[in-house]
Amino acid sequence: MKLIKKIRSNMSLSIIGGIVAMLLVFGFIVCIIGNSCFVSAFKDEYSTVTYHMADSAATFVNGDHLSSYLEDGETEEYKDTLQKLDVCCHKLNVSLIYVIQVDTSDYGRFVSIFNVVNNSVDDSHYTPWELGYQRDTTNDEYRQKYQAIYEENSPYETVFRMRTTDGQHPHITTLVPVRDHNGEVAGILCVQRPVNEMANAFMPYVILIAIGVFMMIAVVTLFTVLLLRNGVIKPVKKVSDEATRFAKENQKGEPLGDISRYEVILNLARSIDSMETDMVSYIENLTAATAEKERIGAELSIAATIQETTLPDEFPAFPDRSEFDIYASMTPAKMVGGDFYNFFFIDDDHLAMEIADVSGKGIPAALFMMITNILIQNVTKMGGTPAEILTYVNNEVCRRNRADMFVTVWLGILEISTGKLVSANAGHDDPAVYRRDGRFEIVKEKHGFVIGGMEGMRYKNNEITLNPGDKLFLYTDGVPEATDQNDEMFTVGRTIDALNEHKEEAPKQIIEGVRDSVSAFVGDAPQFDDMTMLCFELKEANEDSAE
């Protein structure tokens, strides 16, 4: 009891104890808030990435033949699709990929069509379902999500299982529709991905917070002791005067030396001497570091200039051609970006157009972008359909892709005299087309796998006809996925609305209008992804002369 009273009456111990207690509470609160933000951001990232995985995997499944597989058994086409899904399962490093048909009367049962397992991801123990295996829906949550997919209330659904009771590890399951040739939902493809990375990433964060709190406790305690203890006024004033002088002059003075017999003041004096030495050294190092930073900035500026020269940026691009108008822009999230566009003549009547989005940002993405762009342009000029060109380019990129990067690509070849546009899509956003006297609308295309993702992929041609007055708009996901300060996306819907506000204008004004709409929506939120757009207009024969 006497000891407690003595501690409470001691100002130094009381203040130090109170500060230590406050720092411990602060560290605990930081851990709680950090955990909440960490888990929320992790879930959002996992949900988006797993959706793209599932959407890509769904391109391997022929929705028209799901029912026939149940009747005919394991045909050659079925085995080929099953093998592709198995390769995709291991390539994407997920636990399960399976395709089911759900009883839409009450969504309480389903039958398995494809099921591939990768137990090596997190030491799980899943057993693949056989073709035709039937079972009841797991719970009401899955029933509601099945219904949302079949009734097309949602492009995809996600289920998180952070706490499991069946002996399996925590995981995320993303559900996407498998459609037939009429666009109707014929089944559901599910991708199950473990989330063990969250626990592995969170532990270092907790340890770092604990270390930081204890370091703050140590520093604050020392500072409090030094502040509360006072000794001889003159030594303290001498230390203060020396510190003031150094702050003004930034020049090392005479060492303070042993100015007091009290250890606290003596240590303070020595600290001032050491600080002057370290600060002078720091200023010298900072000067050198600033010069190095300026040199790196200059090199990045040169890299950005080199990248810009690889993309056509002079408009009008073809002043001697009056049959069409074309305009494009690329706004990188960093000084250099991973998006790119291109357009060039193959011959007098065939114009090639491309737009692409490389995974990642910065210098690595820019290098990958330049290599892929040059490869696509060279192969396109050698001839062939867009599907054949992307098939060849994908194989070449995969053979040299040691960095495991990939790129989504839309490539189209337009026959100007007829307006016939043949295109191929490697995992890229669908284009928007404006028909004269109509509105911009998204054109759903047959998608292939991303370039650089898997060797041996084959791509399919899409074909439409552009008439005089029609317009084509291409973009990367940096447009619809631009987010405001509340993390709300601009979305494809708002992109179409922005296009239709300027639908009667020239390609340049259309792109500038969309960019202005995105900027107004995003506000002061930082740009997280490159934003690239290309707009093409097939003009009337006498339109140029009228202008």
Side-chain angles (χ1 to χ4, degrees):
M1 194 69 179
K2 292 182 179 180
L3 179 61
I4 295 176
K5 289 183 178 179
K6 185 177 180 180
I7 293 175
R8 293 181 63 184
S9 64
N10 189 302
M11 181 180 294
S12 298
L13 294 179
S14 297
I15 293 178
I16 293 171
I19 292 175
V20 169
M22 289 176 61
L23 288 174
L24 289 174
V25 173
F26 174 77
F28 180 74
I29 294 174
V30 168
C31 286
I32 293 177
I33 296 175
N35 177 63
S36 176
C37 296
F38 181 89
V39 171
S40 176
F42 195 90
K43 283 185 176 182
D44 290 343
E45 177 68 16
Y46 253 56
S47 177
T48 301
V49 173
T50 309
Y51 161 64
H52 288 301
M53 290 179 177
D55 192 45
S56 297
T59 61
F60 297 126
V61 182
N62 190 333
D64 293 322
H65 294 172
L66 294 184
S67 298
S68 64
Y69 293 149
L70 296 172
E71 297 174 1
D72 301 334
E74 297 186 1
T75 63
E76 289 301 321
E77 182 188 36
Y78 176 90
K79 293 178 180 179
D80 180 65
T81 303
L82 185 65
Q83 181 181 9
K84 290 180 178 178
L85 292 177
D86 185 69
V87 172
C88 190
C89 183
H90 286 77
K91 188 79 173 180
L92 297 177
N93 207 31
V94 297
S95 300
L96 295 172
I97 296 180
Y98 56 94
V99 179
I100 59 175
Q101 277 191 331
V102 184
D103 180 1
T104 56
S105 61
D106 62 352
Y107 301 95
R109 292 164 300 280
F110 65 83
V111 57
S112 172
I113 300 177
F114 294 98
N115 191 285
V116 294
V117 173
N118 180 11
N119 284 320
S120 64
V121 176
D122 63 341
D123 297 325
S124 52
H125 304 284
Y126 295 106
T127 302
W129 293 334
E130 299 289 340
L131 173 63
Y133 173 80
Q134 299 183 21
R135 61 168 288 176
D136 293 336
T137 300
T138 305
N139 51 41
D140 288 337
E141 182 182 10
Y142 272 93
R143 184 182 291 108
Q144 294 171 3
K145 293 185 181 297
Y146 291 161
Q147 185 175 2
I149 293 293
Y150 270 89
E151 295 180 3
E152 302 192 84
N153 294 326
S154 174
Y156 72 98
E157 293 289 337
T158 302
V159 177
F160 280 93
R161 286 288 178 263
M162 307 306 295
R163 294 182 178 87
T164 59
T165 58
D166 55 359
Q168 300 297 342
H169 300 296
H171 58 267
I172 175 180
T173 302
T174 298
L175 301 76
V176 298
V178 176
R179 302 181 184 276
D180 58 22
H181 71 281
N182 293 320
E184 301 293 330
V185 178
I188 297 177
L189 183 141
C190 306
V191 171
Q192 179 173 309
R193 182 184 181 193
V195 294
N196 52 349
E197 296 164 347
M198 182 172 68
N200 296 335
F202 184 66
M203 283 308 299
Y205 169 79
V206 173
I207 294 173
L208 184 62
I209 291 295
I211 293 174
V213 170
F214 282 110
M215 289 181 64
M216 289 181 65
I217 291 174
V219 172
V220 172
T221 300
L222 178 60
F223 175 76
T224 304
V225 170
L226 293 175
L227 182 64
L228 293 178
R229 296 287 181 88
N230 60 2
V232 182
I233 299 300
K234 288 183 178 180
V236 173
K237 186 176 184 302
K238 187 174 181 180
V239 171
S240 176
D241 291 343
E242 175 60 20
T244 302
R245 183 204 64 78
F246 181 77
K248 292 180 178 179
E249 300 176 4
N250 286 329
Q251 297 291 330
K252 183 172 175 59
E254 293 293 329
L256 292 172
D258 298 334
I259 63 171
S260 173
R261 62 187 180 88
Y262 294 106
E263 184 178 359
V264 172
I265 300 176
L266 184 60
N267 289 340
L268 181 59
R270 291 172 179 172
S271 296
I272 292 294
D273 289 338
S274 177
M275 180 201 69
E276 289 184 0
T277 301
D278 294 342
M279 186 61 71
V280 170
S281 176
Y282 172 77
I283 292 173
E284 293 174 352
N285 292 336
L286 181 61
T287 302
T290 302
E292 178 66 12
K293 183 178 180 180
E294 291 177 352
R295 183 187 65 80
I296 294 174
E299 291 182 355
L300 279 175
S301 178
I302 294 173
T305 302
I306 294 174
Q307 183 183 38
E308 291 174 0
T309 60
T310 64
L311 306 180
D313 59 355
E314 294 185 2
F315 299 97
F318 306 105
D320 57 334
R321 301 299 294 259
S322 61
E323 310 98 306
F324 64 89
D325 187 13
I326 190 168
Y327 188 82
S329 71
M330 194 269 281
T331 306
K334 295 186 176 181
M335 186 171 289
V336 292
D339 284 4
F340 66 90
Y341 66 84
N342 204 353
F343 48 83
F344 52 89
F345 274 104
I346 302 173
D347 55 43
D348 288 342
D349 195 34
H350 291 84
L351 177 69
M353 295 176 283
E354 61 173 304
I355 191 168
D357 185 357
V358 177
S359 61
K361 304 177 185 68
I363 294 293
L367 292 174
F368 196 80
M369 160 268 199
M370 294 178 68
I371 293 172
T372 307
N373 183 26
I374 293 172
L375 183 59
I376 292 176
Q377 181 170 340
N378 290 341
V379 175
T380 301
K381 289 183 177 181
M382 294 171 63
T385 67
E388 294 170 341
I389 293 168
L390 292 188
T391 298
Y392 178 85
V393 169
N394 176 65
N395 290 333
E396 288 298 308
V397 171
C398 286
R399 292 191 187 102
R400 299 170 172 83
N401 191 11
R402 296 181 181 177
D404 288 332
M405 300 183 72
F406 64 86
V407 55
T408 65
V409 179
W410 184 96
L411 174 64
I413 298 177
L414 175 70
E415 189 175 54
I416 298 173
S417 60
T418 64
K420 176 182 176 183
L421 175 64
V422 181
S423 65
N425 193 319
H428 198 76
D429 299 83
D430 291 318
V433 172
Y434 165 78
R435 299 296 185 182
R436 185 169 186 175
D437 299 326
R439 292 173 53 83
F440 271 102
E441 295 181 352
I442 294 294
V443 177
K444 295 294 184 180
E445 296 186 324
K446 295 174 285 188
H447 283 228
F449 203 47
V450 295
I451 299 296
M454 188 184 305
E455 192 171 357
M457 293 293 97
R458 292 190 175 278
Y459 301 87
K460 298 180 179 179
N461 286 317
N462 304 286
E463 184 176 325
I464 62 173
T465 298
L466 297 179
N467 298 312
D470 291 351
K471 299 170 185 176
L472 173 71
F473 180 77
L474 307 172
Y475 57 96
T476 59
D477 58 11
V479 177
E481 294 182 5
T483 55
D484 62 11
Q485 292 179 332
N486 298 320
D487 290 333
E488 181 180 353
M489 290 188 179
F490 188 65
T491 71
V492 175
R494 289 190 176 95
T495 303
I496 294 299
D497 292 341
L499 286 170
N500 285 316
E501 289 180 8
H502 306 275
K503 62 182 181 179
E504 302 293 342
E505 300 179 16
K508 179 179 179 180
Q509 283 69 43
I510 290 175
I511 288 179
E512 291 175 347
V514 174
R515 188 189 299 117
D516 291 343
S517 296
V518 173
S519 297
F521 174 82
V522 170
D524 295 330
Q527 180 182 345
F528 287 106
D529 199 3
D530 303 333
M531 188 167 62
T532 304
M533 294 175 280
L534 184 150
C535 187
F536 174 89
E537 178 185 7
L538 189 63
K539 301 171 70 173
E540 294 284 358
N542 61 348
E543 184 176 339
D544 187 66
S545 60
E547 293 177 356

